[in-house]
Amino acid sequence: MADHHESSLTLPSAPASVLLARRHTLSVLAEWGLPGDSDTADSIRLIVSELATNAVQHTLGQSPTFTIELRLDRDEVLRVGVTDSHPRRPRRLPAAVQQDNGRGMAIIRYLAAEAGGRLSVVPTAAGGKTVWITMPWKVTVC
């Protein structure tokens, strides 16, 4: 494997961009050796879908675009990040509110933990945030 791989794509904060984010992610990960029909690819597809959907729905028009970043480091760690320019951090909603929506972050946390990874939210210099999922690549490709 090369020292590291990186890919990023900036998309408009529009519902159609969620599909483009998923397709881009699967294409890049396939180039890096992850079969598109694997359970791990399905988990990453769902994570990206939820993160992109959040970037579109919850930025209240304050983020005209969002960026998906993929990094595979030489330390064999996969990092998936979605950055938007809205300053509000994701928050957990009470169970009663989660009946019809608001479950995305819980799903993301579960899928990341199941793969041996974690979720973090990092503020950007421009006042927005990046939601990062970090997971071991060795676990990812097994």
Side-chain angles (χ1 to χ4, degrees):
M1 179 171 93
D3 277 353
H4 69 279
H5 298 285
E6 291 185 19
S7 176
S8 68
L9 177 66
T10 300
L11 297 164
S13 292
S17 294
V18 175
L19 175 62
L20 296 174
R22 284 193 309 254
R23 285 182 179 165
H24 172 75
T25 298
L26 292 178
S27 174
V28 168
L29 295 179
E31 287 177 24
W32 296 348
L34 181 66
D37 60 352
S38 69
D39 289 343
T40 300
D42 286 341
S43 293
I44 295 170
R45 177 179 30 241
L46 183 54
I47 287 169
V48 167
S49 183
E50 292 293 335
L51 289 175
T53 298
N54 286 352
V56 170
Q57 289 183 345
H58 299 295
T59 58
L60 307 172
Q62 293 184 28
S63 183
T65 63
F66 68 92
T67 300
I68 177 137
E69 296 178 67
L70 304 164
R71 297 179 187 166
L72 180 55
D73 296 334
R74 69 175 148 246
D75 59 355
E76 297 190 353
V77 172
L78 175 66
R79 292 174 174 83
V80 178
V82 174
T83 302
D84 64 58
S85 57
H86 193 284
R88 187 179 67 207
R89 294 172 55 100
R91 62 185 192 274
R92 292 182 189 208
L93 299 176
V97 176
Q98 292 183 14
Q99 287 181 347
D100 294 326
N101 62 31
R103 296 183 189 149
M105 293 306 290
I107 292 168
I108 293 165
R109 276 188 179 85
Y110 172 80
L111 290 170
E114 184 178 58
R118 61 184 172 78
L119 177 142
S120 60
V121 181
V122 179
T124 65
K129 79 235 169 242
T130 303
V131 180
W132 286 105
I133 302 298
T134 305
M135 58 181 59
W137 183 250
K138 285 183 180 180
V139 172
T140 301
V141 294
C142 292

